[in-house]
Amino acid sequence: MRGGLPGSYDTAEKTWLWGWANPGLRSSAVVAASERIGESGRRRGVAELVQQGVDLADFTDPRQAVEALAFTGAAVLGAPGYLGHEAGPNAPGARAHPRRGGAYVNASAGFEEAGARMRSGQSLSA
């Protein structure tokens, strides 16, 4: 099994930072695949994939928007899913999100909110 770090979420700032933009990890093997996410965003004109950081503070549940970004990154990379893990003393632990039949399985309201924003042409960080 191969793994990498597509990005990270700052719970205090409510922002997502793509792995390729992380100054402590830039150009390292652990974020190499995430560079393809940024390249895909540039080719397709998707601001949230190109911005180093994405402000998610306006979401009802920013963590669900984080999952939407992680799902999108996994889809760009052709990954079979992703493993999310919250760090910190009160974190609930890891969650695995497999992809079935080409679609990621997640019925959360935040994911639906992010999808609706993208379909309507709104920015995820709006």
Side-chain angles (χ1 to χ4, degrees):
M1 181 169 99
R2 292 181 302 167
L5 180 69
S8 56
Y9 176 62
D10 183 322
T11 57
E13 297 292 322
K14 296 186 177 159
T15 56
W16 171 264
L17 179 65
W18 288 107
W20 56 263
N22 187 315
L25 299 173
R26 194 171 283 146
S27 300
S28 70
V30 74
V31 297
S34 76
E35 293 174 4
R36 294 193 340 244
I37 298 168
E39 291 167 8
S40 178
R42 281 186 283 285
R43 282 193 313 275
R44 292 178 169 87
V46 180
E48 290 80 13
L49 303 183
V50 177
Q51 297 168 335
Q52 291 186 8
V54 183
D55 183 0
L56 304 173
D58 289 337
F59 277 85
T60 304
D61 186 349
R63 292 173 192 212
Q64 298 302 316
V66 166
E67 288 194 355
L69 289 167
F71 281 131
T72 301
V76 166
L77 297 174
Y82 82 91
L83 178 66
H85 190 277
E86 292 185 38
N90 299 317
R95 300 169 315 282
H97 301 279
R99 185 172 72 165
R100 300 204 199 294
Y104 290 90
V105 179
N106 185 343
S108 69
F111 186 69
E112 291 171 11
E113 177 184 356
R117 284 187 183 190
M118 287 189 283
R119 284 190 298 278
S120 70
Q122 293 179 348
S123 171
L124 282 178
S125 57

